[in-house]
């Protein structure tokens, strides 16, 4: 049985003060879910809030993990604007989102770069959340499975076919649109991802958590999370509200 993982991706939102307010509210209204130990929750604020949030988690003794939204593959050096694995570790980061479609599209991040980021994260003891997902036209053309297999192949040069990490299936057409995938489509895509992992890694595929992401809300979370191969969610917009994210965590808890 895979424990559900709920990850909040705040993108370029929330100042340090706003992040702190979110954390305190989540502790107040979502603390009951965390205490059950039936779900893992991780939140990914902007880099600028990581250190303060790390201290906030310790101060409130919260059972919530801290994630980053990106990482660079070099350890140090002349890489203006980048953040190293060690810098993230120092801030208490245990997960990192790699290859989000916004970075792939807006910043031309290639699958080869994504693979290097995942490798660097694992080397530092940080679990990568590798994002993959198809465009509207690929979806409409019925080519989702082929797209996912190719994108996984290209983004997973880092994988030794053994190490556990996290995959997030995020159809681009569902991100930030309010148009979430149906439970049927999400399950089919997550199953295809698991089969790809199984082909390469055998039984470890059953331990790897595969998340769905794309317009997840408190209203649709239960149906999506009830799918056998959907092991959690990567949540953007809805995670900015502590009460909505707590409800999504609760929905995951109820489906088990
Ligand atoms: C995301 O950014 O990863 C995401 C899934 O966003 P949203 O939930 O807003 O669609």
């Amino acid at each position: 049985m895979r424990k559900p993982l709920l990850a909040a991706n705040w993108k370029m939102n929330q100042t340090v003060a706003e992040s702190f307010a979110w954390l305190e509210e989540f502790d107040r209204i979502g603390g009951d879910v965390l205490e059950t130990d039936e779900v893992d929750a991780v939140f990914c604020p902007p880099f600028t809030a990581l250190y303060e949030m790390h201290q906030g988690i310790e101060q409130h003794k919260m059972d919530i993990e801290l994630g980053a939204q990106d990482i660079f593959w070099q350890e140090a050096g002349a890489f203006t604007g980048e953040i190293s694995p060690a810098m993230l570790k120092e801030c208490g980061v245990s997960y990192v989102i790699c290859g989000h479609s916004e970075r792939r599209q807006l910043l031309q991040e290639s699958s080869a770069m994504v693979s290097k980021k995942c490798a660097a994260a694992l080397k530092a003891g940080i679990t990568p959340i590798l994002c993959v997902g198809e465009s509207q036209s690929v979806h409409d053309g019925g080519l989702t499975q082929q797209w996912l297999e190719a994108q996984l192949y290209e983004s997973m040069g880092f994988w030794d076919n053994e190490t556990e990490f996290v995959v997030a299936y995020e159809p681009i057409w569902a991100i930030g649109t309010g148009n979430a995938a149906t439970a049927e489509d999400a399950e089919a895509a997550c199953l295809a991802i698991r089969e790809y992992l199984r082909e390469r890694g055998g039984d470890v595929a059953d331990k790897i958590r595969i998340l769905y992401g794309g317009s997840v809300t408190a209203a649709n979370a239960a149906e999506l999370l009830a799918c056998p191969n959907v092991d959690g969610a990567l949540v953007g917009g809805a995670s900015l509200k502590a009460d909505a994210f707590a409800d999504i965590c609760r929905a995951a808890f109820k489906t088990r």
Side-chain angles (χ1 to χ4, degrees):
M1 180 72 89
R2 295 175 291 269
K3 197 193 235 192
L5 174 66
L6 288 312
N9 175 17
W10 290 356
K11 314 191 188 196
M12 199 175 73
N13 294 297
Q14 310 274 58
T15 61
V16 175
E18 287 163 347
S19 301
F20 220 96
W22 185 99
L23 194 69
E24 294 198 321
E25 196 185 347
F26 190 76
D27 188 31
R28 197 164 44 76
I29 52 185
D32 58 320
V33 194
L34 301 181
E35 273 164 26
T36 64
D37 206 27
E38 297 286 333
V39 298
D40 287 334
V42 49
F43 73 112
C44 309
F47 288 135
T48 46
L50 285 173
Y51 190 67
E52 293 273 355
M53 292 307 97
H54 175 46
Q55 292 189 316
I57 289 170
E58 303 225 313
Q59 191 184 319
H60 291 281
K61 298 189 177 22
M62 289 172 75
D63 190 9
I64 186 168
E65 302 287 328
L66 194 56
Q69 297 175 22
D70 192 25
I71 189 170
F72 196 57
W73 56 82
Q74 295 284 356
E75 288 176 10
F79 305 105
T80 304
E82 296 297 342
I83 305 281
S84 77
M87 290 168 186
L88 296 179
K89 278 298 270 190
E90 188 184 35
C91 291
V93 163
S94 50
Y95 289 87
V96 61
I97 297 170
C98 294
H100 192 284
S101 62
E102 285 153 12
R103 297 196 62 82
R104 289 180 187 262
Q105 290 193 308
L106 297 172
L107 299 162
Q108 282 74 51
E109 201 167 287
S110 69
S111 290
M113 289 161 76
V114 172
S115 179
K116 287 205 260 185
K117 291 182 177 199
C118 291
L122 285 171
K123 189 170 170 212
I126 298 172
T127 303
I129 301 175
L130 168 63
C131 300
V132 291
E134 81 286 4
S135 65
Q136 183 80 63
S137 60
V138 170
H139 175 72
D140 293 347
L143 295 170
T144 298
Q145 186 171 334
Q146 290 92 319
W147 174 273
L148 290 175
E149 282 169 10
Q151 202 176 35
L152 286 166
Y153 175 76
E154 287 163 11
S155 307
M156 281 177 56
F158 72 91
W159 201 38
D160 59 3
N161 299 345
E162 288 179 5
T163 308
E164 283 180 47
F165 64 105
V166 177
V167 182
Y169 166 59
E170 295 218 306
I172 297 167
W173 48 269
I175 296 178
T177 59
N179 179 29
T182 61
E184 198 183 13
D185 280 354
E187 169 60 17
C190 291
L191 176 61
I193 292 170
R194 191 161 327 274
E195 278 169 356
Y196 176 84
L197 297 172
R198 191 169 288 132
E199 232 171 73
R200 278 186 57 174
D203 290 348
V204 74
D206 292 318
K207 295 192 192 146
I208 291 180
R209 291 186 285 191
I210 302 173
L211 316 182
Y212 166 76
S215 297
V216 174
T217 63
N220 63 20
E223 196 187 351
L224 288 160
L225 294 167
C227 298
N229 283 288
V230 177
D231 307 316
L234 180 53
V235 188
S239 73
L240 291 170
K241 297 228 175 308
D243 55 351
F245 190 61
D247 281 345
I248 292 168
C249 292
R250 249 175 234 119
F253 169 59
K254 283 186 195 143
T255 58
R256 300 292 134 171

